[in-house]
Amino acid sequence: MTDNLVAPAHQVELVVVAGEWQHAQDHEEEIAAFFAQEQAANPDLFNGPFYILDKWQLADGILHGACHETTYAAYLHWRAHGYSSSGYNAFAMPVVRPVGGGILLGRMAPWTVNAGSWYMPAGSIDNIDVLDDGRIDLAGNMSRELVEEIGLKVLRRMVAPTWTLVFTRGRLAMFREIVLRRSAEALLASIESHLAMQEKPELDAVRLVSTRRDCVGLDMPPFLMPYLEAVLPA
């Protein structure tokens, strides 16, 4: 595995390929028992499709990757056991930037699997993000998740042309800037209104960070600070 690598990319091409993920094959019975326990503790958990990046190559600013379809239960089991076998949970991280600077972060609500954790409004690759030819539509994934989680519609002109890739153990976070023409105040007010209309929103708080000092004390996943350290002043 590649850990703690930060790299730019101007193109990302991920494709779903045939075959089962090895971890799911090797631990089928354990995964079923594990997920039953997890779901008993949190009935909101749903065992849907999940995609694991198994093979990849980064060359000349282009990331090519092959993903296997598995289940959310298999992913959670793998994560709970310290990403003990090969693969990456690969996901897009939209970096929303309003006028005046700052980066939007959201805190995951208590009923979610990552409760209390702060990061960009985003979500895992779903089967709706897989095109007929097997390619994964990361732009579509980001757009859908931003609408669902914070009510933000993304136009093509808002999206930066390049990615920043952050590899940590078991995870590949693919960051891409979304540059808005609205103020920070208007953005936060719009999001808070959107969250208030949902019975169980995925986020229970949002905030903007403009410096690395703004991140002190926040519970964040390990892939986030390497990115923020690269783009935010001290």
Side-chain angles (χ1 to χ4, degrees), residues 130-150:
V130 181
L131 305 177
D132 290 342
D133 61 1
R135 288 181 297 120
I136 295 175
D137 181 10
L138 293 174
N141 168 271
M142 287 197 301
S143 295
R144 176 173 53 80
E145 292 291 342
L146 287 172
V147 169
E148 290 177 2
E149 294 197 10
I150 62 173

Side-chain angles (χ1 to χ4, degrees), residues 71-85:
T71 64
Y72 191 55
Y75 161 68
L76 288 181
H77 178 271
W78 176 60
R79 188 177 79 168
H81 289 78
Y83 307 104
S84 55
S85 52

